[in-house]
Every structure is written in C-alpha cells, then in structure tokens.
Amino acid sequence: MSSRSGTEGIRPVLDVLNKLLEKAYAEQETAQMSATQLNRARIGLEQCAEALIKEVDRKLEASTEKTAQKAAQLLKVQFKDADKAAVQAAERYHSAALHLGWKLFAGLAAIQLLILSVGWLLIRQSFPTQEQIEQRRQEVAELTNTVSQLEKRGGRVKWSYCADGDRNRLCFQTDETPKNGWHSDDGHPYRVPLGY
C-alpha cells in the first residue's frame, strides 16, 4: 500500500516533466526555424548592400568632377575670409603687444610691493616692541628678586621621594655635619636641610 501511494505521488510529477520536455522541443524547432529565416534575411541584406554600394560608387564617380569644381570655388571663398580674419588677428596681436609691456611692468611692481609688505609685517611681528621689551625686563627683575628670596628661605633644598615600606614619601637631603644635631624646645631632634 505504501509503494502504490509513492508511485501515485510521482506520476503527476512525471507528467509535468513530460509536458515541459514536449514544450522545450517545440520551442527548439521554432528557434531553429527563426534562425534559418534570419540567415536568409541576412544573405538578402548583404546582396542588397553590395548592389547599393556599387550604385553609390557609380554615382559618386559621375558627380566627383562637378563636386571638385564646386569645392574649389568654396575653398577660394573660404581662403579669402580666412585671410581677412588673419589680418584682423594680426592687428589685435600688435595692439596687445604694445600694451603688454605696461601691464607686465604694473604686475611686477604690484608683486614687489606685496612681497615688501609681507616681509615688513613678518619682521614687525618677529621682533618685540619697546614696550614689550621693557615689560619683560620688569618680569625678569621680579623673578630674580623672587629667586633670591627663595634661596634665603631654603630654596636650594634638594627634594626627592624616599621609600618607606611599600610607599614613597616626599623627603629632602639634610646636612649631617653637626655631631649631635639640634633639638627643639620640646626635645624633638631636628636637622638642617642641605643648601640652607
């Protein structure tokens, strides 16, 4: 019973495939007939084209002499027009050449003026003004005074980081020349920083 139902399920598929094959064969025959007809049309067109080329050659040969004479007349007229245009162009070039010298001189003068202006601006911006120089002198004097004040108050002390177990602590170098060191009023020991 299952083999019969399997066969019945395949039969419609086979019928569809047979119809598709028949349709493909019919299309192939139609395509072959069309190709044959196209080939015949091509041959006919080639023959017509050859005949047309021969006819055109014959007519061209007949009209070549007439055309050559007409072309010579047209060229003569065009050469006269071209000669007039060349004379006008030469006059314009001559006029332009007269004015070119002045235009070139003016252009070069403008470029030199621009270069001098840019140079002057660059030089002016590169050097400080007298007021800026005076202001910087005052700043240097103030900084020198500040440095001397810091030196008097221990500004030469050398600072560093010292290891204290697993952390670094800020420390400074001390002067170890006194044998016993100093003690404050409350008895704590003190050392003098080196450079103070």
Side-chain angles (χ1 to χ4, degrees), residues 65-81:
E65 188 175 324
K66 292 178 185 176
T67 305
Q69 289 175 355
K70 287 181 182 177
Q73 289 295 326
L74 288 173
L75 282 174
K76 183 179 177 181
V77 170
Q78 288 180 352
F79 277 129
K80 286 182 181 178
D81 291 343

Side-chain angles (χ1 to χ4, degrees), residues 19-87:
K19 288 180 184 179
L20 285 173
L21 280 174
E22 289 173 6
K23 188 76 165 174
Y25 289 135
E27 290 295 324
Q28 182 180 3
E29 288 177 9
T30 304
Q32 286 178 346
M33 288 176 36
S34 296
T36 304
Q37 289 174 353
L38 282 172
N39 195 25
R40 287 183 192 148
R42 182 188 56 81
I43 292 170
L45 283 173
E46 285 176 355
Q47 291 171 351
C48 287
E50 287 177 15
L52 184 60
I53 289 170
K54 288 178 184 177
E55 179 66 22
V56 167
D57 283 344
R58 187 182 59 75
K59 287 185 178 180
L60 279 175
E61 287 175 10
S63 67
T64 301
E65 188 175 324
K66 292 178 185 176
T67 305
Q69 289 175 355
K70 287 181 182 177
Q73 289 295 326
L74 288 173
L75 282 174
K76 183 179 177 181
V77 170
Q78 288 180 352
F79 277 129
K80 286 182 181 178
D81 291 343
D83 187 44
K84 288 178 187 176
V87 168

Side-chain angles (χ1 to χ4, degrees), residues 4-146:
R4 185 184 264 188
S5 66
T7 308
E8 289 175 6
I10 294 175
R11 173 130 351 254
V13 172
L14 291 176
D15 289 341
V16 168
L17 287 174
N18 276 337
K19 288 180 184 179
L20 285 173
L21 280 174
E22 289 173 6
K23 188 76 165 174
Y25 289 135
E27 290 295 324
Q28 182 180 3
E29 288 177 9
T30 304
Q32 286 178 346
M33 288 176 36
S34 296
T36 304
Q37 289 174 353
L38 282 172
N39 195 25
R40 287 183 192 148
R42 182 188 56 81
I43 292 170
L45 283 173
E46 285 176 355
Q47 291 171 351
C48 287
E50 287 177 15
L52 184 60
I53 289 170
K54 288 178 184 177
E55 179 66 22
V56 167
D57 283 344
R58 187 182 59 75
K59 287 185 178 180
L60 279 175
E61 287 175 10
S63 67
T64 301
E65 188 175 324
K66 292 178 185 176
T67 305
Q69 289 175 355
K70 287 181 182 177
Q73 289 295 326
L74 288 173
L75 282 174
K76 183 179 177 181
V77 170
Q78 288 180 352
F79 277 129
K80 286 182 181 178
D81 291 343
D83 187 44
K84 288 178 187 176
V87 168
Q88 290 174 351
E91 289 173 357
R92 284 195 301 260
Y93 285 130
H94 180 68
S95 174
L98 291 175
H99 297 294
L100 179 63
W102 287 106
K103 288 180 183 177
L104 187 60
F105 175 74
L108 289 175
I111 290 172
Q112 287 178 349
L113 183 63
L114 178 67
I115 290 171
L116 289 174
S117 299
V118 168
W120 180 74
L121 285 174
L122 288 175
I123 289 172
R124 185 168 181 205
Q125 290 178 355
S126 297
F127 296 106
T129 63
Q130 189 65 29
E131 295 153 356
Q132 291 171 333
I133 292 172
E134 202 53 46
Q135 182 182 3
R136 288 188 182 136
R137 282 182 183 162
Q138 289 176 358
E139 289 175 5
V140 167
E142 289 173 9
L143 290 174
T144 304
N145 186 25
T146 302

Side-chain angles (χ1 to χ4, degrees), residues 156-160 162 170-178 181-182 189-196:
R156 292 187 181 182
V157 173
K158 295 180 182 177
W159 292 89
S160 181
C162 300
L170 187 63
C171 60
F172 59 89
Q173 187 177 9
T174 61
D175 185 3
E176 299 293 328
T177 54
W182 291 273
Y190 279 84
R191 299 270 187 239
V192 174
L194 185 66
Y196 184 64

